Amino acid sequence: MHGAAVVTKHRFDIWQSDEFTRQLDDWGIEGLVLGGVEIACCVLYAVLGAAERGYDYAVPLDLVSGQDVTEGTDNAAARNLLRHNHADRVVHSSAELLEAWRCRFAPSHEGTARGMTSPPVPQPQPPSPSPSPVDPVPPPTPAPVPQPTPSDPTVPPPTPSPGPV
């Protein structure tokens, strides 16, 4: 395709490719659609790397191989990890994702493929008609405030407390 970049991948983890990350930076890419040949290695590494680096991403399950759902397989474990830990990013089909993009970037919007970042990701449908209740999520605990240490040159040494009277 005219203007496309071809990056050779030498490892399961695409994020180990300086050529790949440089291309994303050069084009100002903020969002990715992740698919691939094997969910238990290449796709999983791509998802974890995108999440770690703060990219928006979606994983349409029809664009992923390794669809062996037999219990005890690496593919089932990787798919379950994605569904549970990245549920807001996994969609059942690429058609869902394309429809979301069509709605967001209707003809009234001007733009190109490079300008289409951060599309809304449709929520996955529950596998059964009666979803199980979800445990409430506790509110986040505030981060501890760092305490100055005596070795910090900007903090005066502590004043000794008076002894017993």
Side-chain angles (χ1 to χ4, degrees):
M1 175 177 222
H2 177 72
V6 177
V7 176
T8 304
K9 187 176 117 173
H10 299 282
R11 305 262 188 279
F12 291 146
D13 184 0
I14 188 63
W15 298 102
Q16 291 186 20
S17 168
D18 290 336
E19 183 182 4
F20 175 72
T21 57
R22 189 173 36 255
Q23 192 66 53
L24 293 178
D25 290 342
D26 289 350
W27 282 5
I29 301 297
E30 296 174 5
L32 304 164
V33 176
L34 301 171
V37 175
E38 191 58 49
I39 194 168
C41 55
C42 299
V43 175
L44 185 57
Y45 283 108
V47 167
L48 297 174
E52 179 181 4
R53 289 162 178 85
Y55 283 91
D56 287 330
Y57 61 93
V59 184
L61 291 180
D62 64 336
L63 298 182
V64 175
S65 293
Q67 295 293 322
D68 178 6
V69 295
T70 308
E71 283 297 315
T73 66
D74 290 344
N75 293 331
R79 193 173 33 266
N80 286 335
L81 176 102
L82 292 177
R83 284 184 176 148
H84 292 286
N85 293 1
H86 302 265
D88 61 327
R89 306 304 180 128
V90 174
V91 293
H92 292 284
S93 73
S94 53
E96 286 179 59
L97 192 58
L98 287 172
E99 184 58 29
W101 281 345
R102 283 185 185 109
C103 291
R104 182 169 178 184
F105 300 104
S108 64
H109 291 86
E110 295 297 320
T112 64
R114 283 191 199 156
M116 294 184 194
T117 58
S118 307
V121 177
Q123 294 297 311
Q125 299 299 314
S128 66
S130 57
S132 61
V134 177
D135 293 333
V137 177
T141 55
V145 177
Q147 298 298 317
T149 61
S151 62
D152 186 345
T154 63
V155 176
T159 306
S161 61
V165 179

